Amino acid sequence: MLQNIRVVLVNTSHPGNIGGAARAMKNMGLSRLVLVQPLDFPAADASARASGADDVLDGAQVVGSLEEALVGCSLAIGTSARDRSLPWPMLDPRECGAKAVERAATGEEIALVFGREHAGLTNDELQRCHFHVHIPSNPDFSSLNLAAAVQVLAYEVRMAWLTEQGAPAKVEKADAGELATLDEMERFYDHLEKTLVDIAFLDPEKPKHLMARLRRLYGRSAVDRSEMSILRGILTETQKVARGEPHKRKD
Ligand code: SAH
């Protein structure tokens, strides 16, 4: 089940941190590492800091974008060392561990996303995540070393997993269909944005955080596959009406 939880490191500069993250993961039983455009990898420093977690490093998947790193995931949790301008659903590390384990147990793929050493994650990257997690550190010195942050969250995942091992199996929600994955959600947001431009609800010159707010709304809703096809169908028909093409309305 822990294999359904991947750790995503975005644009890491220091290979030592990649090795440190791999070690932290393996200590806690996590094995899936995804690297988005690391500056220097593979590297001797990474292997040195991994000290024995070479299998995690060897199995690391290197990809070109965060979007690629999230393919197949239905839950992404982004980390942030500080507050951002647009408020977002927040989890503390304990809740993050519990949520990741609870959702991974139903077969979903989960991503924990970590940012750059110097700049963290961009707002755009954070808005691709359903939740944000902040490790409640000293406000005057809030930023942990990247591998240390991975360690804290991996530990919380392990604690939640150990608790779940001892708990009786939960009955799955009867009505829950398979959730839309993040890549399906991305295609939906793309379609939604185009449609909103077609009906002139969204002015590309003055977007006013509209798409970010809609991402936050839909991200809260745990949209399943059949709901997704309804939403896509609505957009397709809306676009036809807006463009004056033949459509389902009879008038
Ligand atoms: N100067 C950057 C700090 C990045 S620290 C900034 O202000 O955002 C590098 C990464 O470690 C972060 O992107 C995050 O993934 C993780 N991290 C560090 N401190 C954290 C904290 N207190 N809570 C959650 N993640 C943290």
Side-chain angles (χ1 to χ4, degrees):
M1 184 252 272
L2 291 177
Q3 74 279 2
N4 292 347
I5 301 176
R6 66 185 82 168
V7 167
V8 178
L9 305 184
V10 178
N11 274 173
T12 311
S13 327
H14 301 296
N17 283 334
I18 299 177
R23 178 179 185 176
M25 288 170 62
K26 188 168 178 181
N27 283 144
M28 298 299 131
L30 295 174
S31 53
R32 287 190 60 193
L33 178 60
V34 183
L35 306 171
V36 180
Q37 293 194 345
L39 259 58
D40 182 10
F41 183 81
D45 259 4
S47 309
R49 283 276 305 277
S51 48
D54 306 87
D55 48 342
V56 176
L57 280 188
D58 293 343
Q61 190 189 347
V62 179
V63 297
S65 66
L66 178 58
E67 203 167 343
E68 239 181 287
L70 297 180
V71 167
C73 285
S74 49
L75 174 67
I77 301 175
T79 52
S80 175
R82 61 198 153 94
D83 285 342
R84 304 288 164 145
S85 53
L86 186 68
W88 210 257
M90 291 293 300
L91 299 172
D92 67 30
R94 199 135 301 165
E95 293 166 332
C96 168
K99 189 165 285 290
V101 165
E102 179 196 325
R103 302 272 297 261
T106 68
E108 287 182 55
E109 298 269 340
I110 319 297
L112 303 177
V113 186
F114 295 83
R116 300 155 188 84
E117 288 92 333
H118 298 299
L121 293 167
T122 64
N123 284 333
D124 201 52
E125 287 161 346
L126 280 165
Q127 284 166 11
R128 281 172 188 255
C129 299
H130 298 92
F131 293 95
H132 295 166
V133 56
H134 171 69
I135 298 163
S137 43
N138 176 358
D140 298 329
F141 192 61
S142 66
S143 168
L144 279 75
N145 165 264
L146 174 60
V150 171
Q151 182 74 78
V152 170
L153 293 195
Y155 169 74
E156 290 295 346
V157 165
R158 184 158 193 87
M159 289 303 284
W161 179 73
L162 289 171
T163 304
E164 140 111 23
Q165 297 292 293
K170 286 203 198 81
V171 183
E172 278 186 39
K173 269 195 280 165
D175 59 344
E178 203 178 320
L179 291 185
T181 60
L182 278 155
D183 33 314
E184 287 163 346
M185 289 305 292
E186 279 311 311
R187 289 195 287 276
F188 164 68
Y189 291 131
D190 213 44
H191 194 175
L192 178 61
E193 187 169 9
K194 290 199 175 93
T195 309
L196 294 176
V197 171
D198 284 354
I199 62 170
F201 190 81
L202 171 62
D203 177 358
E205 302 298 318
K206 282 186 234 133
K208 292 189 189 151
H209 295 308
L210 179 65
M211 288 314 297
R213 288 175 197 281
L214 289 170
R215 277 174 180 273
R216 194 172 54 177
L217 165 66
Y218 285 104
R220 275 203 308 269
S221 320
V223 179
D224 73 22
R225 289 232 159 101
S226 67
E227 292 163 339
M228 172 56 59
S229 57
I230 296 171
L231 289 171
R232 294 291 295 265
I234 293 172
L235 294 180
T236 302
E237 288 308 308
T238 307
Q239 285 184 306
K240 286 184 197 162
V241 175
R243 293 172 186 161
E245 292 168 6
H247 53 81
K248 286 185 177 159
R249 197 172 72 191
K250 314 246 183 317
D251 59 3

